[in-house]
Amino acid sequence: MLSKWLNESSYTVVFTGAGMSTESGLPDFRSQNQGLWNKKDPSKIASTEALNNNVHDFIAFYRERVLGIKEFKPHKGHYILADWEKQGKVNSIITQNVDGFHQQAGSKQVAELHGTLQKLHCQTCGEIYSSEEYIQREYYCSCGGTLRPSIVLFGETLPQDAFQFALEEAEKAELFIVLGSSLSVTPANQFPLVAKEKGAKLVIVNREETDFDLYADQVVNGKEIGEFLTELDD
């Protein structure tokens, strides 16, 4: 069914969540045993308050995360999506992930709703740096301001450019495919509904069921995303 829809669709948008990244080996935030939030309180370490009032622990946590993504790389699913974009089968990707793996695999049209760990910027003047600065233990801008990852912290809104691009893509979609998202985080989880309301076919591929499955035209549970995309590609 999805193979037929993919071939017939004139505008396909893919939405990816944590399940896309965990197949590369990255830990997620909410899983019961391995989730990062089982070890840290997000409101105390991944927030604007921590950046302003507890900068030492903030930097230590995010340096560990920057080092963590350097240990892993995109999996075959990322490369298949990039290849589909080149072939014109996929028009864009909306992602909740901050690892930058879609771009590393070659995808060009990517809306990073929660920002990226691949870049830093100065909290004071906004100048952009590579995340290599954290690896080299360089934490301050030439202006003296604190360097922070270019991700959305608790207490911040989504980047307007990425949000607007994602909204426009969802509205244009004929086929909207969710890969590896529990669709539990707002407002990101509204994009599949926007696409559906505009007439798109909605497909949800996730290890567990989601609260949005009842809106989907096709639901696939219990499959690895890389394996699923490989089968679809074949």
Side-chain angles (χ1 to χ4, degrees), residues 38-134:
N38 294 331
K39 304 171 187 175
K40 306 278 186 182
D41 180 346
S43 64
K44 293 181 180 172
I45 205 68
S47 64
T48 50
E49 184 182 350
L51 175 60
N52 293 324
N53 302 317
N54 190 14
V55 70
H56 180 270
D57 286 351
F58 176 91
I59 287 174
F61 175 71
Y62 278 108
R63 181 174 188 270
E64 190 179 323
R65 288 204 64 200
V66 167
L67 287 169
I69 65 167
K70 300 295 183 186
E71 293 177 21
F72 301 99
K73 59 187 179 182
H75 59 72
K76 57 188 175 183
H78 290 100
Y79 287 102
I80 288 170
L81 291 179
D83 191 45
W84 285 356
E85 184 184 301
K86 286 175 193 160
Q87 295 175 32
K89 289 182 180 177
V90 165
N91 296 83
S92 61
I93 294 172
I94 303 168
T95 187
Q96 296 172 285
N97 301 329
V98 296
D99 48 50
F101 286 171
H102 284 300
Q103 290 93 330
Q104 284 184 21
S107 293
K108 306 292 186 191
Q109 297 297 314
V110 183
E112 294 177 305
L113 293 177
H114 297 152
T116 179
L117 281 173
Q118 298 287 350
K119 295 177 185 174
L120 311 172
H121 68 269
C122 174
Q123 181 71 356
T124 303
C125 74
E127 185 170 347
I128 296 172
Y129 290 78
S130 162
S131 60
E132 288 291 325
E133 299 290 313
Y134 265 28

Side-chain angles (χ1 to χ4, degrees), residues 206-226:
N206 194 51
R207 192 181 294 275
E208 293 92 24
E209 295 177 356
T210 81
D211 291 339
F212 288 60
D213 288 358
L214 71 162
Y215 304 112
D217 297 279
Q218 184 177 349
V219 175
V220 179
N221 294 137
K223 272 205 169 186
E224 296 285 323
I225 294 166

